[in-house]
Amino acid sequence: MNSFSLLSEAINNRIVMKIHLKIWRQKNQNTKGQLETYTLDDVDAEMSFLEMLDMLNLKLAKQGERPVEFDHDCREGICGQCGVMINGIAHGPLKNTTTCQLHMRSFKDGDTIFVEPFKAKAFPVIRDLKVNRSALDEIIAAGGYISVSTGQAPEANSILVSHEEAESAFDSAACIGCGACVATCKNASAALFTSSKISQLAKLPQGKKESNKRTVDMVNRMEDLGFGHCTNTEACQVECPQDISVLNIAQMNYEYNKAKLVK
Amino acid sequence: MALTGLFLCFFLIIHLLGNFQLLLPPEEAQLQYNLYSDFLSNNLVVKIISYVLYASILVHTLDAIYLSIKAKKAKGSSYVKDKRNRASKWYSRQMMLLGTIVFAFLVIHFKDFWFPYKFGDLSSDINGNKDLYTLVIVSFQKLWYVILYAVAILALGFHLLHGFFSAIRSIGLYNPTYNRIVKSVGVVFAVAITLGYFVIPLYIYLNA
């Protein structure tokens, strides 16, 4: 089968859907937002969710209307930029998937899809589906780093890190900072995000000396920024695109309690 | 929250073990239960622990109110379409409601038993101890009172189902294996406490 017949077969087997969208439109932080209804007649099932929004925006631009603003960057599920509430679930119905990795085949012809921005006091809406998540950067800036230069990559046998510890630290480091945990949490807590960074660093020997200060500074910053507290409902892990474990939160609590006790 | 909660869990076990004396044959139960109550109210160590208990209930309640207010402030405007509930257990989200039911129950519980025992005019049994036993037995002759207890204990059970493991997490146990054990222990604990506390009023009612 040559490439032409493959292409024509793909075109012939194309599933085209009619999709109704209810999208949150909000001019800026100070205005009130509301849902607007749009209908797209020829949505391809193989389109990604963001491509479907691109299609809508093209249509809006042609009609002279303001396009829907939303965050996105890599569209490969690794940067953490995209993130909206789709039908009331952060990043939509699929497990461990970012918005950009959700495809229209997850919906049916004639479906109505609600699209809203992540909502939390610490995440003010900039416009439409775009929210300001710099509060997460501020938590990292409060201590999510090692402040001394550790130089070149060390000789592998001079500081031993067990395979399990290295893997576990890497699992914690997999957080992409999308903010789905905050949007999903009933208390709008950033505990999963903050703890993934704290426990990643706590598991590794570099920067051990400042681990107490780091933990207390990051947790205090998280509180100051107006995030809620963690009540261990574990919803954050369920909706996390990276399946970051809630046990990171337990480790953060351990590190924090330890830091407060030795102080 | 975690520390006061765990102390209250510990109290629940002791209180239940003490109450099991109500299941003894009536004559024996009356004397033994009244003697036990008398011992508790006159022992210095128990007295100190009881003040810690009152303080724990108060701190646990105030902390819950503070955290609820904080969560309310942290939340943005609500979602028009909200399906976030799929990701968590209902009782883990309704700890405040369950706690409020338990607290309301505690007020009734204190009013009906603790207050008459401490300050009321109770008759004495043949050993000269205040007859708390008869007060308890008479109270649980009423069906509506047993149902009230059942509702409160069920709320307590769900509260513990989330509360026990959550408290251990808040203290900072992060080892995955131990966490699995703690979760199982928490379920066993919640079920045992619920059944244990429910069996007593039911037994008294059925034997009336």
Side-chain angles (χ1 to χ4, degrees), chain A residues 164-213:
Chain A
E164 288 79 12
E165 282 292 276
E167 284 295 323
S168 173
F170 190 69
D171 285 346
S172 302
C175 167
I176 53 175
C178 66
C181 47
V182 179
T184 297
C185 178
K186 76 177 186 76
N187 307 318
S189 168
L192 192 67
F193 169 81
T194 310
S195 69
S196 67
K197 182 53 75 179
I198 287 176
S199 52
Q200 177 211 331
L201 293 173
K203 280 163 189 162
L204 297 172
Q206 292 89 348
K208 262 270 156 13
K209 273 212 160 127
E210 54 189 356
S211 80
N212 285 350
K213 187 179 171 336

Side-chain angles (χ1 to χ4, degrees), chain A residues 28-76:
Chain A
N28 56 47
Q29 197 182 327
N30 303 318
T31 53
K32 258 186 97 137
Q34 62 182 43
L35 288 176
E36 298 281 348
T37 310
Y38 303 96
T39 300
L40 291 174
D41 290 320
D42 45 358
V43 174
D44 195 303
E46 301 309 315
M47 272 180 177
S48 77
F49 193 82
L50 295 186
E51 282 167 343
M52 183 273 297
L53 287 182
D54 290 338
M55 191 178 159
L56 170 71
N57 278 344
L58 202 61
K59 188 179 162 190
L60 291 178
K62 278 181 184 167
Q63 292 169 354
E65 289 177 47
R66 186 168 63 77
V68 178
E69 294 206 15
F70 60 92
D71 269 326
H72 64 102
D73 191 6
C74 75
R75 299 204 177 196
E76 291 179 340

Side-chain angles (χ1 to χ4, degrees), chain B residues 45-57:
Chain B
V45 178
V46 176
K47 200 155 240 169
I48 293 167
I49 295 174
S50 73
Y51 285 123
V52 177
L53 175 69
Y54 304 146
S56 289
I57 295 172

Side-chain angles (χ1 to χ4, degrees), chain B residues 95-113:
Chain B
M95 288 299 273
M96 189 63 188
L97 175 73
L98 294 167
T100 308
I101 296 173
V102 174
F103 188 82
F105 162 78
L106 275 182
V107 173
I108 298 169
H109 193 58
F110 267 66
K111 182 193 131 290
D112 286 352
F113 298 117

Side-chain angles (χ1 to χ4, degrees), chain A residues 119-166:
Chain A
K119 286 177 181 174
K121 271 277 153 59
F123 285 174
V125 172
I126 299 171
R127 179 172 283 183
D128 300 335
L129 304 172
K130 204 183 231 174
V131 295
N132 183 353
R133 287 169 288 182
S134 52
L136 298 183
D137 300 331
E138 286 190 42
I139 294 173
I140 298 294
Y145 49 80
I146 292 162
S147 58
V148 291
S149 169
T150 52
Q152 295 278 315
E155 198 274 317
N157 292 317
S158 59
I159 304 172
L160 297 176
V161 182
S162 74
H163 177 71
E164 288 79 12
E165 282 292 276

Side-chain angles (χ1 to χ4, degrees), chain A residues 91-139:
Chain A
H91 294 299
L94 296 186
K95 284 255 157 121
N96 311 133
T97 310
T98 52
T99 300
C100 64
Q101 293 302 299
L102 175 69
H103 290 78
M104 295 314 291
R105 53 181 171 263
S106 294
F107 302 92
K108 289 196 302 290
D109 187 26
D111 272 2
T112 299
I113 307 173
F114 286 75
V115 192
E116 293 175 75
F118 285 172
K119 286 177 181 174
K121 271 277 153 59
F123 285 174
V125 172
I126 299 171
R127 179 172 283 183
D128 300 335
L129 304 172
K130 204 183 231 174
V131 295
N132 183 353
R133 287 169 288 182
S134 52
L136 298 183
D137 300 331
E138 286 190 42
I139 294 173

